[in-house]
Amino acid sequence: MSMMTTPLSSLLVTTLMLCSQSVHSFLPPRATTFTRKHFIQRDTDGPAPEEFNDFGDFVPGDATTPSVVQELQQLRDEKSAQLAQNWQQGNWKVRGFSLDPYSAIDDNHHHQDDGLDKSDDGTTTSSTTPEKTNKAIISKIILSDDDGVAVIGRSDGSVCLIELGTEYWTKFDSKLTATETSNSTVKVESQLVRQEDPQELVSESPFIVTAQFMAHEGVELTALLVVAGHENNDDMVVTATASGQMTAWSVDDDNRVIPLRNLEAHSQTIVGIKAVPQKEGGSTDLMVSASMDGSIALWDLWTGDLVVKCQMEQEDGEHVEITCLDATKDGVVFLGLSTGHVVAYLVPEMVQAASMGNACPVPNGRFMAHQAEGGITSLCCGGDGNLAPSSSILITGGADGSVKQWEILPRSSVSSTSSNDDDHKKTTTTLLEHWPRLATQRMPKRAHVFCTRHYVGGDEAQDSITALASHGDNKILSASADGTVRAWSPTTGKELYVMAGFSSSLTSLCLNQDVLVTNGMDQFVCVHDFDVNQADFERDGLESIDW
């Protein structure tokens, strides 16, 4: 057996070892599809192939190490600069997939219904084309923690978990499938199946349906939550509907979906679900949900036990509608109200004041963010603030089409209570105050109000904000009821560019470092990939684009 070493192979191994120790991969993890083209079979009776010793001349601490690290850092910096430029200028490529909006079971019923005539020779022909009904559109999308899987909820109550690939486009059709149940009966259901064979892909990884199930038949899904495995390593998906239903599901390593429990606390549309820690700095062991009926609920994430349920009321005791919800990783819950107010709760203090069905405790923060007419229609947490080490950013959108950026600052407040003159007890609470507090005040290094005015036919248009997203310090996106997505500069508040062509059902903006995943096009899921460079456009014949 001959042993050969090459400087190139040694440099490659050195690079790989350094990457595994200190440098993250430049590209997001992607699934790999192997085909016969990837493997070469050799005759076992023939001569053995030459083997290369990649570690032959590798010496730890070799003088080439600093230069390799510098080269890797340079590549990393160039990628970051290219991404920043693409986000600023609006350079992206679109890929994605579509889900058949009609159930195969409904199609089968259509073929068995009226509209069929017998011809003279006894054959059956269709005299009319039965009109398809019960079209399912995509109503909600979220991404898993590693951004590798999209959890998709639809208006018919079905859920799909799809591994995001790198291929350009594919279609999933509804097909009838039959499976044997535990009691030896056969279950026939409609399943989404790829139109193309994924084995035909060589250089690209496919979009793959890893799991699909009917969560709430016939009821639109309005909120979703996915949580990575806990004690038994199974992932958990929580689904919520427009009628106030909530159910937790287990997804095991084989992508089998098992219902865990129904969660009953709400009677109207559930506007949000988030996993939160019970104490600051702790693990996410609780889940918060909120409904348009004004109710808030805190649940034990893993047992489903109801920890807190309370009813949001206005200061005069009148019913108030909750329109949106988001939460920070530290356990601050923000609620948008139809009155235009933002209400904030700290989860640990909310648990201490636990109640079941009574009025919610006094919030840690409350302020008027938008006009009372239409109120707040969307909000999202925007990361760390600038005014204090523990401050955070909150972004809100209103029915008037305005988008605003706020800084939330925690401040301790000590109050003293006593049952008699000699017995005093001090209680410390945390107040969550907002900045700016006045219209004349400004935010340091950030814009407060974004320039959302646009004109249609010479008239100013004000379209309700339907979704918001933020990532890092340089990405803020808003979706409007007019079917557009707008990118904003967090520092100047100016509009950078507009992404048009969506419908009014645009409710999901799933944003990470280099990808934006959206609904808003009926059965289509669009993956807007900003990790592109000029060479990509030139290769695709788009070199004429003005960069």
Side-chain angles (χ1 to χ4, degrees):
M1 182 184 301
S2 63
M3 304 291 291
M4 298 180 63
T5 61
T6 64
L8 178 60
S9 63
S10 298
L11 177 59
L12 176 60
V13 172
T14 305
T15 303
L16 292 175
M17 293 185 67
L18 290 169
C19 286
S20 65
Q21 295 175 5
S22 61
V23 181
H24 294 293
S25 173
F26 299 140
L27 297 176
R30 289 169 173 167
T32 303
T33 301
F34 293 99
T35 70
R36 293 182 183 273
K37 297 181 181 180
H38 286 83
F39 302 95
I40 301 177
Q41 294 182 339
R42 67 178 180 87
D43 187 351
T44 56
D45 296 331
E50 291 185 320
E51 295 188 9
F52 296 88
N53 181 6
D54 291 327
F55 297 91
D57 58 357
F58 172 70
V59 178
D62 185 74
T64 61
T65 299
S67 63
V68 172
V69 173
Q70 291 173 2
E71 290 176 7
L72 294 175
Q73 185 61 46
Q74 182 179 356
L75 290 173
R76 189 177 181 180
D77 293 343
E78 289 175 356
K79 175 182 170 63
S80 298
Q82 183 69 68
L83 273 174
Q85 176 181 315
N86 291 344
W87 278 107
Q88 287 291 321
Q89 297 181 356
N91 302 321
W92 72 88
K93 295 177 68 176
V94 178
R95 50 192 173 87
F97 53 90
S98 67
L99 307 180
D100 194 335
Y102 300 104
S103 167
I105 295 178
D106 291 340
D107 284 347
N108 190 53
H109 288 169
H110 281 307
H111 289 301
Q112 297 176 5
D113 288 341
D114 295 336
L116 300 178
D117 295 335
K118 286 288 186 67
S119 61
D120 293 339
D121 60 1
T123 59
T124 302
T125 60
S126 175
S127 59
T128 60
T129 301
E131 182 181 354
K132 292 184 177 182
T133 57
N134 302 323
K135 180 179 180 179
I137 66 172
I138 296 168
S139 56
K140 194 68 179 179
I141 304 175
I142 61 171
L143 297 181
S144 59
D145 290 341
D146 61 0
D147 297 328
V149 174
V151 182
I152 299 170
R154 302 206 288 174
S155 58
D156 65 349
S158 62
V159 176
C160 301
L161 276 65
I162 297 186
E163 183 178 315
L164 296 179
T166 60
E167 64 177 316
Y168 171 63
W169 195 265
T170 194
K171 179 182 179 183
F172 295 95
D173 289 329
S174 295
K175 303 290 184 182
L176 287 178
T177 60
T179 55
E180 186 176 353
T181 63
S182 57
N183 58 359
S184 299
T185 60
V186 175
K187 181 181 180 182
V188 178
E189 56 187 349
S190 177
Q191 295 282 305
L192 290 166
V193 180
R194 279 185 65 97
Q195 204 176 54
E196 306 88 358
D197 182 2
Q199 294 299 320
E200 296 177 0
L201 295 172
V202 177
S203 60
E204 302 291 342
S205 59
F207 295 104
I208 300 174
V209 176
T210 60
Q212 52 185 309
F213 58 99
M214 181 57 72
H216 307 275
E217 188 168 4
V219 186
E220 179 180 351
L221 293 171
T222 57
L224 297 167
L225 175 68
V226 59
V227 182
H230 189 49
E231 295 179 356
N232 58 358
N233 292 324
D234 289 349
D235 295 338
M236 185 170 69
V237 174
V238 182
T239 58
T241 73
S243 61
Q245 301 167 307
M246 281 180 62
T247 303
W249 311 80
S250 172
V251 183
D252 64 16
D253 291 338
D254 296 323
N255 292 314
R256 291 174 298 189
V257 181
I258 302 170
L260 295 176
R261 62 191 70 89
N262 292 324
L263 306 170
E264 299 179 357
H266 308 293
S267 60
Q268 295 180 21
T269 300
I270 295 173
V271 298
I273 320 170
K274 289 291 180 179
V276 292
Q278 185 165 343
K279 58 183 179 180
E280 186 175 354
S283 59
T284 52
D285 48 7
L286 294 179
M287 174 176 63
V288 59
S289 60
S291 169
M292 294 184 73
D293 63 11
S295 59
I296 309 169
L298 277 173
W299 314 80
D300 186 293
L301 189 59
W302 303 110
T303 67
D305 293 338
L306 186 59
V307 178
V308 176
K309 180 186 176 183
C310 63
Q311 191 70 32
M312 180 69 63
E313 296 179 351
Q314 297 190 50
E315 296 177 352
D316 57 4
E318 292 294 321
H319 168 78
V320 65
E321 187 178 273
I322 300 174
T323 57
C324 45
L325 172 149
D326 201 3
T328 69
K329 60 184 178 184
D330 296 325
V332 181
V333 177
F334 294 100
L335 304 165
L337 306 184
S338 59
T339 59
H341 290 88
V342 169
V343 172
Y345 283 102
L346 284 169
V347 169
E349 296 188 16
M350 196 174 186
V351 172
Q352 290 178 0
S355 64
M356 287 296 174
N358 298 324
C360 291
V362 176
N364 298 91
R366 179 186 174 98
F367 63 94
M368 176 70 78
H370 293 266
Q371 298 177 5
E373 184 178 356
I376 298 176
T377 53
S378 184
L379 57 74
C380 76
C381 299
D384 297 333
N386 298 317
L387 292 175
S390 55
S391 65
S392 62
I393 297 297
L394 179 69
I395 304 162
T396 61
D400 60 357
S402 63
V403 176
K404 298 181 182 181
Q405 188 172 206
W406 310 85
E407 188 146 354
I408 307 300
L409 301 101
R411 180 173 64 85
S412 296
S413 175
V414 179
S415 59
S416 178
T417 59
S418 63
S419 56
N420 53 60
D421 294 338
D422 300 324
D423 185 16
H424 291 272
K425 183 179 180 181
K426 293 185 177 181
T427 303
T428 301
T429 58
T430 302
L431 301 179
L432 298 173
E433 300 184 338
H434 65 284
W435 185 270
R437 304 183 67 86
L438 301 174
T440 56
Q441 294 173 329
R442 296 293 179 264
M443 297 180 67
K445 301 179 182 180
R446 291 180 181 268
H448 172 44
V449 179
F450 296 88
C451 303
T452 60
R453 295 178 180 176
H454 61 284
Y455 296 85
V456 178
D459 298 325
E460 183 178 349
Q462 292 182 336
D463 297 289
S464 174
I465 302 299
T466 58
L468 291 166
S470 173
H471 187 276
D473 294 329
N474 61 345
K475 302 181 188 71
I476 293 180
L477 300 178
S478 67
S480 301
D482 63 350
T484 61
V485 174
R486 285 177 163 78
W488 306 96
S489 167
T491 55
T492 66
K494 293 182 179 180
E495 179 184 292
L496 299 176
Y497 49 88
V498 179
M499 307 167 73
F502 301 94
S503 68
S504 59
S505 59
L506 178 53
T507 59
S508 299
L509 297 175
C510 303
L511 181 63
N512 62 23
Q513 182 180 1
D514 51 14
V515 166
L516 169 67
V517 182
T518 63
N519 67 338
M521 296 185 70
D522 292 341
Q523 70 268 31
F524 298 99
V525 173
C526 292
V527 181
H528 309 266
D529 193 346
F530 287 79
D531 186 13
V532 295
N533 53 47
Q534 190 169 4
D536 293 332
F537 286 88
E538 292 174 352
R539 183 182 63 247
D540 295 337
L542 302 175
E543 63 272 13
S544 61
I545 288 181
D546 182 11
W547 279 68

